[in-house]
Amino acid sequence: MALTRERKEELVAQYVELLNQSRGVFLAEYSGVTVQQMQQLRAEIRKVDGAFHVTKNTLLRHALDETGRSLPEEMLSGQTATGFALGEVPSLAKALADFADEVDTFKLKGGLMAGDFLTAEQVEALADLPSLDELRAQLIGMISSPAQNITSTVANGVRQIMNVLDAYAKQEEEAAEAA
């Protein structure tokens, strides 16, 4: 079914808006993926604050041109689906890479992040990065560990002094009782 000119303009405007809101954009070939699998993928992507659309290559190319971005020509061939990272970029990359591992007919093509082109291998490497929450937890652990070590060292020193003083006090009591 052919798209009307108005519908094409609406789609380009939608793509431009998503591109402007996105921190990263990932493209994949989805031929052979069932509707149920696509719905499952969209649900996973919504959980990580992303959007996923089956895109028309020429319309996406127009939207990329309007936003001053570009992709290699081979990226915009075949059946293309586009993931837009509205939240954390690694989380979306992980959702797409995990889906590509599960479904053989879904192949990552690459993407854009901070104006730079990413290959499929780079997208998969990005997917291996920890999430922002995991990074925060690691950082807090790294910061609090030395403080805990200092606290326990000081507490051990005080405890040893208290044990020595307690031993002297008991020795004095025993000497006083013996006298």
Side-chain angles (χ1 to χ4, degrees):
M1 182 169 110
L3 294 175
T4 63
R5 181 177 179 84
E6 292 80 24
R7 178 65 181 142
K8 289 178 183 178
E9 289 171 357
E10 287 174 20
L11 287 173
V12 170
Q14 179 184 10
Y15 298 161
V16 166
E17 183 177 340
L18 284 168
L19 286 167
N20 287 331
Q21 293 174 358
S22 298
R23 296 177 178 176
V25 178
F26 304 110
L27 284 79
E29 184 154 342
Y30 68 95
S31 60
V33 178
T34 66
V35 172
Q36 183 179 8
Q37 290 170 325
M38 287 292 266
Q39 289 173 340
Q40 175 188 353
L41 176 60
R42 282 189 174 105
E44 289 300 314
I45 289 175
R46 276 192 294 274
K47 288 179 187 176
V48 296
D49 196 20
F52 188 75
H53 295 276
V54 171
T55 52
K56 292 264 189 203
N57 291 326
T58 54
L59 300 180
L60 183 58
R61 187 177 298 114
H62 289 300
L64 287 165
D65 290 342
E66 282 188 36
T67 59
R69 297 179 177 105
S70 64
L71 283 171
E73 200 61 36
E74 65 271 7
M75 294 289 292
L76 294 173
S77 63
Q79 293 182 322
T80 304
T82 308
F84 300 92
L86 305 174
E88 292 182 36
V89 177
S91 298
L92 176 64
K94 181 168 180 49
L96 291 170
D98 288 349
F99 188 77
D101 289 342
E102 292 173 17
V103 180
D104 294 334
T105 56
F106 186 84
K107 304 273 188 263
L108 289 171
K109 292 181 176 183
L112 285 171
M113 188 174 77
D116 294 327
F117 170 70
L118 301 174
T119 64
E121 293 79 22
Q122 290 171 319
V123 173
E124 289 179 13
L126 186 62
D128 292 336
L129 292 176
S131 71
L132 189 58
D133 289 338
E134 291 169 339
L135 285 173
R136 286 179 179 146
Q138 289 173 1
L139 183 61
I140 289 170
M142 288 171 42
I143 290 170
S144 67
S145 179
Q148 289 173 345
N149 291 341
I150 291 170
T151 303
S152 65
T153 301
V154 170
N156 286 339
V158 169
R159 195 174 303 116
Q160 288 175 352
I161 292 172
M162 293 302 293
N163 288 340
V164 168
L165 291 176
D166 188 45
Y168 277 126
K170 285 182 183 177
Q171 189 178 22
E172 290 292 320
E173 284 177 19
E174 289 174 5
E177 287 177 11

